[in-house]
């Protein structure tokens, strides 16, 4: 009786570990960001790109002052339109 009990416990233990190795538990799916978080990340990325492009224009060694002003006007207009699009998507 003692040998049967030990054998049964051993078989059950081995079978559960074997099945657990074949079918590992699935991790929980990552939570999806909310709409507000998505819009916030898009807005911050837009702002970051705007700043970097503005910095590139201002630090350009060969551009004249007038060329820089024209490029900044075009940059401001473009990013203003993109911000309007981002706001209208709400």
């Amino acid at each position: 009786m003692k040998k049967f009990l030990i054998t049964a416990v051993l078989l059950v233990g081995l079978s559960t570990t074997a099945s657990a190795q074949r079918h590992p538990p699935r991790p929980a799916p990552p939570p999806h960001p909310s709409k507000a978080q998505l819009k916030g990340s898009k807005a911050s990325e837009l702002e970051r790109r705007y700043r970097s492009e503005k910095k590139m224009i201002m630090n350009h060694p060969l551009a004249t002052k007038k060329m820089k002003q024209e490029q900044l006007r075009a940059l401001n207009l473009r990013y203003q339109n993109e911000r309007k699009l981002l706001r209208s998507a709400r």
Side-chain angles (χ1 to χ4, degrees), residues 10-36:
L10 202 73
L11 276 173
V12 170
L14 289 176
S15 65
T16 55
T17 55
S19 68
Q21 287 176 355
R22 276 188 278 154
H23 306 289
R26 288 186 177 170
H32 295 291
S34 66
K35 282 188 175 183

Side-chain angles (χ1 to χ4, degrees), residues 1-53:
M1 183 70 174
K2 210 176 205 183
K3 285 184 182 180
F4 175 72
L5 185 61
I6 293 172
T7 308
V9 170
L10 202 73
L11 276 173
V12 170
L14 289 176
S15 65
T16 55
T17 55
S19 68
Q21 287 176 355
R22 276 188 278 154
H23 306 289
R26 288 186 177 170
H32 295 291
S34 66
K35 282 188 175 183
Q37 289 173 331
L38 281 173
K39 287 176 186 168
S41 67
K42 294 276 186 188
S44 64
E45 183 181 340
L46 185 66
E47 188 68 28
R48 184 182 52 79
R49 276 191 320 190
Y50 172 76
R51 286 183 185 152
S52 66
E53 287 187 37

Side-chain angles (χ1 to χ4, degrees), residues 37-82:
Q37 289 173 331
L38 281 173
K39 287 176 186 168
S41 67
K42 294 276 186 188
S44 64
E45 183 181 340
L46 185 66
E47 188 68 28
R48 184 182 52 79
R49 276 191 320 190
Y50 172 76
R51 286 183 185 152
S52 66
E53 287 187 37
K54 184 176 178 181
K55 190 182 218 181
M56 286 172 51
I57 291 171
M58 295 305 290
N59 292 333
H60 195 280
L62 301 177
T64 63
K65 188 175 183 180
K66 188 174 183 178
M67 288 170 60
K68 288 180 184 181
Q69 286 176 346
E70 289 173 2
Q71 287 178 341
L72 283 176
R73 272 193 212 111
L75 180 74
N76 287 335
L77 183 63
R78 190 175 87 209
Y79 278 94
Q80 191 176 38
N81 290 335
E82 287 187 29

